[in-house]
Amino acid sequence: MHVGHLLGALRNFVRLSENNDCFYEVADLHALTTKFAHSREIAGDVREMVIDWLAAGIDPQRCTLFVQSQVPEISELATLLSMITPVSWLERVPTYKDQINALGMEIATHGFLGYPILQTVDIVALRGEGVPVGQDQLPHLELSREIARRFNHLYGQVLVEPEALLSQTPYVPGTDGRKMSKSYDNAILLSDSDETTDAKVKMMYTDPLKIKRTDPGRPEQCPVFFLQSAFNADNADSIAHRCRSGQLGCVADKADMAAHLNAALAPIRQRRRALESHSADVDDILNEGNKRARGVAKEVLAEVKAAMGLLY
Ligand code: SF4
């Protein structure tokens, strides 16, 4: 995971788990929608993601971490819900056509079209009442609510209709100024070393009108300043003033930002290293979480089958 995930999701996950019974899922089946030809890489990705979560402060004593494919009830529920979900509902999901345009027709599989159903099951199988989502995810959640409502209308009140816990997900710019994303190759990873971070920051996009130190800059348009505001908030006003007034140059500002970013990420990176050398602990956490998630999903599946009259 990267700095964008840390600011946008992980800190929110930690906060939510302080006062709620939270389930956090590694959606490895969803990963197959785009990675089906490289399925063997997913196991390593699952482990890396869980290590990032734990290192970022998610406490498995306060919430449940589990892996989607290790709760087979999710797949069975997805089959059942796919029977009642019209194809037109899936096709109108805004990201569906965009993603095919972006990634090519080879991902236009049955699984890719149907992934909002699997996403719905991720929520309803755990009786999820609230789902932390950003604005861009709202249409997906609305579809989940419609599918749950349709099921309840057909078979009786069984599924919980989830509500959005709209989080203020900041638009975190990457090193090239576009949204930070691993697929754009513009991300600073939690697992990067200090040296790699320094090198990435040195190459960062800044205000293109600020060529020399003395040129007046526009910090509000600069991704370096965004990260200064996030990781060096106490000095942000002064940095903005010195950028605008031509007292601060980009080279010096980048070095300063990289130092603050590395300092903020140091405890996360230290916990990552410790977790990497204790892989049995990560296995135990996931085994425990998978068991707990399965317990809930089994109950929900039994209720769904009973409501549908499928308990022969
Ligand atoms: S001085 Fe800093 S905030 Fe201003 S444009 Fe350069 S990098 Fe961005």
Side-chain angles (χ1 to χ4, degrees):
M1 299 194 98
H2 53 63
V3 167
H5 294 128
L6 180 68
L7 297 174
L10 293 173
R11 286 181 172 175
N12 195 29
F13 287 4
V14 173
R15 193 180 52 77
L16 281 171
S17 60
E18 283 164 6
N19 299 309
N20 299 282
D21 184 13
C22 294
F23 287 82
Y24 294 124
E25 176 197 85
V26 185
D28 60 336
L29 296 176
H30 285 290
L32 282 171
T33 56
T34 51
K35 233 180 167 177
F36 56 84
H38 306 280
S39 54
R40 289 184 179 280
E41 292 172 12
I42 293 176
D45 294 346
V46 168
R47 176 160 293 274
E48 286 295 303
M49 175 174 271
V50 174
I51 288 177
D52 279 338
W53 285 359
L54 296 168
I58 293 180
D59 179 354
Q61 302 296 328
R62 306 186 85 136
C63 59
T64 304
L65 308 183
F66 71 99
V67 181
Q68 190 181 32
S69 65
Q70 303 308 300
V71 181
E73 290 75 15
I74 288 178
S75 298
E76 192 171 346
L77 272 167
T79 301
L80 297 176
L81 292 193
S82 74
M83 301 301 167
I84 66 159
T85 306
V87 172
S88 58
W89 289 12
L90 302 171
E91 286 174 334
R92 71 163 197 240
V93 171
T95 48
Y96 176 65
K97 289 199 173 91
D98 293 350
Q99 291 259 25
I100 289 178
N101 288 339
L103 300 170
M105 275 310 284
E106 61 274 19
I107 66 154
T109 59
H110 179 228
F112 183 65
L113 175 67
Y115 89 84
I117 299 175
L118 194 54
Q119 207 170 42
T120 300
V121 175
D122 294 336
I123 304 164
V124 298
L126 282 311
R127 298 198 183 98
E129 293 169 5
V131 189
V133 286
Q135 193 76 30
D136 57 334
Q137 282 285 319
L138 277 180
H140 290 243
L141 193 69
E142 193 45 47
L143 179 56
S144 295
R145 288 165 56 82
E146 281 180 68
I147 295 173
R149 214 176 300 144
R150 186 172 169 95
F151 182 94
N152 291 341
H153 174 73
L154 287 167
Y155 307 110
Q157 195 65 35
V158 175
L159 301 179
V160 178
E161 236 183 85
E163 301 281 345
L165 302 175
L166 203 56
S167 49
Q168 295 302 330
T169 313
Y171 177 95
V172 180
T175 52
D176 60 0
R178 291 185 292 171
K179 185 176 180 182
M180 190 178 287
S181 164
K182 242 182 134 176
S183 46
Y184 292 154
D185 200 19
N186 67 359
I188 298 170
L189 305 183
L190 302 185
S191 57
D192 280 340
S193 65
D194 286 5
E195 294 72 27
T196 304
T197 304
D198 289 343
K200 287 182 177 177
V201 171
K202 255 187 201 158
M203 301 300 291
M204 268 180 92
Y205 172 93
T206 61
D207 175 3
L209 296 184
K210 189 169 170 79
I211 316 281
K212 306 189 296 296
R213 179 177 64 81
T214 47
D215 293 336
R218 297 169 298 172
E220 61 285 349
Q221 302 195 12
C222 174
V224 176
F225 182 70
F226 181 94
L227 295 180
Q228 284 281 35
S229 306
F231 294 100
N232 184 16
D234 289 349
N235 295 316
D237 286 347
S238 142
I239 291 165
H241 170 71
R242 286 184 294 131
C243 166
R244 287 194 188 101
S245 59
Q247 297 170 55
L248 177 66
C250 297
V251 174
D253 192 25
K254 284 176 171 180
D256 182 53
M257 188 277 274
H260 282 91
L261 180 57
N262 280 330
L265 296 180
I268 296 178
R269 288 170 171 165
Q270 202 176 353
R271 283 197 290 271
R272 273 199 117 265
R273 284 191 291 275
L275 287 160
E276 276 167 347
S277 56
H278 291 92
S279 59
D281 292 352
V282 179
D283 290 340
D284 289 347
I285 289 166
L286 285 180
N287 287 337
E288 208 39 56
N290 293 338
K291 219 188 298 166
R292 176 146 191 262
R294 258 200 107 171
V296 182
K298 262 185 188 162
E299 287 174 12
V300 173
L301 178 61
E303 287 168 20
V304 162
K305 286 173 123 176
M308 296 177 81
L310 294 177
L311 294 179
Y312 314 130

